[in-house]
Amino acid sequence: MFRKVLVANRGEIAVRVMRACEELNVGTVAIYSEADSESGHVRYADEAYNVGPARAADSYLDHEAVLEAARKADADAIHPGYGFLAENAAFAAKVEAEDGITWIGPSSESMETLGEKTKARRVMADADVPIVPGTTDPVTDPDEVRAFGDEHGYPIAIKAEGGGGGRGMKVVEDESEVADQLESARREGEAYFDNDSVYLERYLEAPRHIEVQIIADQQGNVRHLGERDCSLQRRHQKVIEEGPSPALDDDMRERIGEAARRGVKASDYVNAGTVEFLVEGGEFYFLEVNTRIQVEHCVTEEITGIDIVKWQIRVAAGEELGFSQDDVEIDGHAMEFRINAENAAKEFQPAPGGKLTTYDPPGGVGVRLDDALRQGDTIVTDYDSMIAKLIVHGEDRDECIARSLRALREYDIEGVTTIVPFHRLMLTDETFVAGEHTTKYLDEELDRSRLEEAQEQWGTEETASGDDEEVVEREFTVEVNGKRFEVNLEERGAATLPTASGGEGSSGRPEPAGGDSGGSEAAIEGDGERVAAEMQGTILSVEVEEGEEVAAGDVLVVLEAMKMENDIVASRGGTVTQIAVSEGESVDMGDPLVVLE
């Protein structure tokens, strides 16, 4: 077994992995960006190292910075969690090449084969796993998309090779959208996955999203741990997952599980992973393989009693799986609720941040809470919107729903807007309770006014992260050779301390990447309409030029926020008189982007 594992991630998944390490008597190492210097995963770890500024590309995605932290900590293994570098075959290969450091995950070769969707489709087709009609080679020319549409019809899904969770996927409704959507999918793939290669699939109109958890050891044993239903999604992002699926009969359940095992075994895969399928019209089709642990792995753990993360670590250390396929039994029903800092009533708009003035999670029989937070923490909005995961287990689906409602009523969060009201609504929604929802239900069928009513009835609003308390506790971070040490200072009635920039501040936390977090410093001239940022993020591209005439609905700026590409559009026609931002610049909610007259 390993001595010390560096977890190359943040937040609740980092804490989840560290807890597994603790139970295996393995030391833990955290990494953190400047934005995360006070985050929960840093508090939990045995030791922690700074890997760079707030921008993920300069910290959590910096291969050399992460490897250097592992060397300094003398870690003998790296666990990537999910997101960030978890499915980066190039990084996995670098870890594999390091003397004395083991990669906890599938090999870089397997990640490269199954992580790129066209290669995975070929592997699965060869293993007699049904696949959605589509291309097995990358597509670069709009004419190729048009030809596919002529053969298979519209809509068409254009998907990034390295994408997932809706990121890097664009839907082409008709031929007029081909060029723009192809360019957008390639740009998003390059921005998030450093890979602009895309492929095509027939876009299924109303499928169920079913995924099968697998684990495989170095001795050639492959097990599947049953399926999860992840059909309740908004903009292709999962919000509630459950297992087993209410939509499958025993025959299809068996066929999907065996198809997942067959495909994984054919690829010589080792460690944990998930094979995802779309189910429609009584048939199932391979979608993709996630070569990592997933957000919703907790659902499977609750209904099987198998600790998937601990088995990830054991398999990487060379241990053989200690259970057969026949030993895997499904007990009861489980649901996972992503507690995101979002406002469901405003198209799931990410909250701008806030301080957890109250944070009192639920408990009791069958309730599990995976988080990295405590009361008084400030929400970090630089990466994604998820602040916790609530997992509930019951003897059957009915009890699971009733217990989930009880737990959500107990979950007391104040200071930041969350989607807890949305979850409470869904557990009383006839379509969801009946298990008849598809991946299109939230985006296309649910009455939006019900979300507004739920938010008004059960929601809380975010508060400013600052306060006016007379007692000021300052937490300073001191780093020696990249390792983090904390110094706490409490002041009563003292004047504020000057910051390095000469201003006033209330903590020693480093500034986010790019310096002033206030975003654009451009002076706004004229009296035209100011189009402002709807959320904190980074400018991915500016789509207009000064002097250009635009119409209502035209895209002005593409803003990267919460790992998603967001089009900022003109609400009315006019002339662009000023552009206040540039590509790569960080902006806060409310910062001016473009002026129209």
Side-chain angles (χ1 to χ4, degrees), residues 144-206:
E144 296 176 85
V145 183
R146 296 185 184 98
F148 185 87
D150 291 341
E151 180 178 355
H152 297 284
Y154 292 87
I156 302 168
I158 305 179
K159 296 186 173 183
E161 287 268 18
R167 294 186 293 276
M169 185 181 88
K170 300 298 175 182
V171 178
V172 182
E173 298 290 349
D174 57 57
E175 187 175 347
S176 67
E177 299 179 356
V178 166
D180 288 344
Q181 295 291 55
L182 177 60
E183 180 184 356
S184 182
R186 297 187 66 188
R187 183 174 63 233
E188 195 167 301
E190 176 68 29
Y192 296 118
F193 312 107
D194 197 27
N195 181 356
D196 70 353
S197 182
V198 299
Y199 66 103
L200 308 178
E201 276 185 358
R202 190 182 79 197
Y203 188 65
L204 299 181
E205 294 289 354

Side-chain angles (χ1 to χ4, degrees), residues 45-206:
D46 296 326
E47 53 188 297
Y49 291 81
N50 186 319
V51 289
R55 185 169 179 262
D58 300 324
S59 51
Y60 293 111
L61 295 175
D62 186 330
H63 297 192
E64 186 53 39
V66 176
L67 285 171
E68 182 60 24
R71 298 183 196 112
K72 288 179 178 179
D74 193 27
D76 55 348
I78 292 178
H79 192 302
Y82 50 68
F84 291 138
L85 297 172
E87 293 181 283
N88 190 304
F91 178 71
K94 291 178 182 178
V95 176
E96 291 166 346
E98 284 281 321
D99 290 335
I101 301 180
T102 299
W103 173 253
I104 300 178
S107 69
S108 57
E109 183 178 354
S110 288
M111 291 174 69
E112 199 272 335
T113 298
L114 293 179
E116 292 196 359
K117 307 304 187 291
T118 53
K119 294 180 180 179
R121 285 168 60 86
R122 286 194 290 267
V123 169
M124 292 296 163
D126 290 343
D128 197 28
V129 177
I131 63 174
V132 179
T135 62
T136 54
D137 293 311
V139 171
T140 59
D141 192 325
D143 286 341
E144 296 176 85
V145 183
R146 296 185 184 98
F148 185 87
D150 291 341
E151 180 178 355
H152 297 284
Y154 292 87
I156 302 168
I158 305 179
K159 296 186 173 183
E161 287 268 18
R167 294 186 293 276
M169 185 181 88
K170 300 298 175 182
V171 178
V172 182
E173 298 290 349
D174 57 57
E175 187 175 347
S176 67
E177 299 179 356
V178 166
D180 288 344
Q181 295 291 55
L182 177 60
E183 180 184 356
S184 182
R186 297 187 66 188
R187 183 174 63 233
E188 195 167 301
E190 176 68 29
Y192 296 118
F193 312 107
D194 197 27
N195 181 356
D196 70 353
S197 182
V198 299
Y199 66 103
L200 308 178
E201 276 185 358
R202 190 182 79 197
Y203 188 65
L204 299 181
E205 294 289 354

Side-chain angles (χ1 to χ4, degrees), residues 530-549:
R530 300 183 185 187
V531 180
E534 299 172 357
M535 61 196 77
Q536 186 273 339
T538 301
I539 302 301
L540 198 57
S541 67
V542 178
E543 299 295 311
V544 292
E545 298 179 353
E546 290 186 3
E548 184 176 341
E549 295 286 337

Side-chain angles (χ1 to χ4, degrees), residues 32 36 47 80 91 122 125 153-154 175 200 223 265 275 327 348 377 400 406 422 432 486 491 560:
Y32 66 97
D36 267 336
E47 53 188 297
F91 178 71
R122 286 194 290 267
Y154 292 87
E175 187 175 347
L200 308 178
R223 311 282 184 256
K265 194 169 184 66
V275 186
D327 292 330
F348 292 90
D377 280 358
C400 185
R406 185 267 295 172
F422 161 80
F432 179 80
E486 292 184 348
E491 297 183 47
E560 171 193 339

Side-chain angles (χ1 to χ4, degrees), residues 574-595:
T575 302
V576 178
T577 59
Q578 186 176 359
I579 297 173
V581 292
S582 57
E583 184 176 324
E585 184 176 346
S586 296
V587 295
D588 280 342
M589 178 181 287
D591 282 352
L593 306 176
V594 174
V595 178

Side-chain angles (χ1 to χ4, degrees), residues 14 43 73 95 125 141 146 158 201 233 246 288 322 342 375 395 402 413 420 470 488 490 511 514 573 587 595:
R43 292 192 298 259
V95 176
D141 192 325
R146 296 185 184 98
I158 305 179
E201 276 185 358
Q233 304 177 7
E288 63 184 13
E342 299 173 357
Q375 188 162 298
E395 291 187 4
I413 303 176
V420 167
E470 294 182 3
N488 296 328
E490 186 177 279
E511 289 186 351
V587 295
V595 178

